[in-house]
Amino acid sequence: MTAADWTDAMRDARYGDAWAIEQATLGARDPATRDDPRLPYHQRWVWDGRGFDGRDVLVRCYHGLGDTLQFARFLPVLAARARSVTVEAPARLHPLLRFPGIALAAFDHAQPLPPAECDIEITELAFALRCAPRDVALPYLHAAPAPLPPATIGLCWQAGDWDAERWVPPGLLAPVAHDHRCLSLVGAPTTLPVLNPAGCPFDLPATAALVAGCALVVTVDTMIAHLAGALGRPTWLLVKAAPDWRWNPARRDSDWYPSMRLYPQPTPGDWATPLAAVTRDLADLQGEDHGQPAQPVGAGFLG
C-alpha cells in the first residue's frame, strides 16, 4: 500500500482501509525515530501504538493551525478514555480549544514539554481512536458572533506561504465584493470594497467572532476554512485541482464539515471557473437588489 492508496481511501471516506494502511506503516517504523528531533516538527511521527486508556496523555500539535482545528474534534473522545489530557498547542489557539477536562500548554518550539505516559500528535487521533469525522457532532468549536450587518459574506483569498497554488488573486473576487456585503478574513489591507479594507485582526478569538457572524464564508484552503467548518458556518471552499488528502475534488461536499461546499479548479491554475460558479450560485440564491442581497442568507448556502 502507498501514500496514494491512503489518500484515495481518505477521500472516499473508507476510513477502515486508511487506518489499516496507517497500522501497517506504524508497524514498519523504527521506534528509535519516534519524535525525531532531527526532523522538522511537521515531519515527525509521535504515537507508537501504546494504549491511552486510563493514562496521562500529551497531545502535541506539530502541524499547522488548520490541522489542529480540524483534529481538535477528537479531543473530547480522547478525554473520555484517558486519565488526563494535556494539549501542547500554539498559545494563540488556546481560546478556541477550551474543552472540559482538557489542560492546555503553550507549544515552545525550542523547549517542548517532556514526554508523558502516552504522547500523540493531534493529526494521529482519528487513527488511534478509530474515530471517523462523522462520529463527532458539529459544531465542536464555539464563538460569540460579531455584530455584523445581515447577510455579510466573509472572504479569504490567501493561504500559507508554503503553497502559493492555494492563493486566489484577489481581483477575481471583485465581482462578489461589489455585488454583496463582504468582509475580509485576510490579515492584510485590500483594495476590494469590503467592510474592513485594513484587513482582519491577527487575533484568533476576534477572527472566530467575525467568522461566526458571517452568513457565509468563501475561502481558499487555509486555517479560515477549518475555523468556519468547525464553527458550523456555511462555507464555500475554493480548492486547487489537485488538493491534499482531506478534500475530494470529485465531490461538492466534505465528510469533515457538513456545512461546507467545494468549488475545485477543473485544471491547475484555473480559478476563474470555480469563482464564476460561486458568482452564479450567489445570484441564484439571493437575487439582486441594488447590489445587496434581496433575501436573507440561510440554509440555501448548504444546498
Side-chain angles (χ1 to χ4, degrees):
M1 290 291 194
T2 66
D5 295 320
W6 180 84
T7 294
D8 289 344
M10 291 297 289
R11 285 180 173 174
D12 294 341
R14 292 183 285 108
Y15 300 111
D17 293 342
W19 296 331
I21 294 171
E22 291 185 63
Q23 186 63 53
T25 301
L26 179 61
R29 283 173 171 155
D30 178 357
T33 65
R34 188 184 72 82
D35 206 3
D36 189 344
R38 296 169 298 179
L39 294 175
Y41 279 107
H42 71 279
Q43 294 181 2
R44 301 185 193 184
W45 64 278
V46 177
W47 188 55
D48 58 6
R50 75 181 63 188
F52 37 75
D53 292 291
R55 290 185 170 176
D56 297 321
V57 180
L58 175 59
V59 179
R60 300 187 185 272
C61 300
Y62 284 171
H63 288 74
L65 300 180
D67 298 279
T68 297
L69 294 178
Q70 178 183 2
F71 284 87
R73 73 188 68 209
F74 301 117
L75 291 173
V77 181
L78 176 64
R81 296 176 55 177
R83 178 169 54 217
S84 72
V85 174
T86 298
V87 178
E88 183 186 36
R92 59 191 297 238
L93 276 180
H94 286 194
L96 301 180
L97 299 178
R98 302 199 183 280
F99 297 99
I102 293 178
L104 296 169
F107 177 30
D108 182 345
H109 284 232
Q111 292 184 308
L113 293 178
E117 282 187 278
C118 177
D119 282 18
I120 190 166
E121 208 281 325
I122 196 166
T123 61
E124 297 170 320
L125 285 178
F127 162 52
L129 294 164
R130 301 300 196 272
C131 193
R134 56 179 171 264
D135 296 332
V136 177
L138 275 82
Y140 57 89
L141 297 184
H142 305 276
L148 300 178
T152 297
I153 298 173
L155 301 178
C156 178
W157 54 89
Q158 288 186 6
D161 292 337
W162 62 277
D163 188 358
E165 291 182 356
R166 297 186 186 186
W167 292 40
V168 168
L172 294 180
L173 286 164
V176 175
H178 279 289
D179 293 341
H180 305 274
R181 184 183 295 114
C182 291
L183 174 87
S184 170
L185 294 172
V186 174
T190 180
T191 58
L192 290 174
V194 294
L195 297 175
N196 57 337
C200 186
F202 191 73
D203 177 272
L204 278 181
T207 300
L210 292 175
V211 169
C214 288
L216 170 71
V217 172
V218 178
T219 178
V220 295
D221 181 9
T222 190
M223 183 271 293
I224 291 294
H226 295 285
L227 178 59
L231 290 168
R233 303 309 302 148
T235 306
W236 291 3
L237 180 67
L238 301 162
V239 291
K240 62 184 187 179
D244 70 10
W245 59 268
R246 70 200 84 205
W247 317 120
N248 186 340
R251 290 174 53 175
R252 294 293 300 278
D253 62 344
S254 167
D255 258 25
W256 292 92
Y257 303 111
S259 64
M260 184 172 285
R261 181 190 293 185
L262 269 57
Y263 289 81
Q265 293 177 333
T267 56
D270 178 5
W271 288 120
T273 298
L275 280 166
V278 165
T279 302
R280 288 194 305 270
D281 288 351
L282 284 172
D284 289 344
L285 283 170
Q286 297 176 284
E288 297 297 328
D289 181 15
H290 304 294
Q292 296 298 335
Q295 62 186 24
V297 177
F301 279 134
L302 305 182

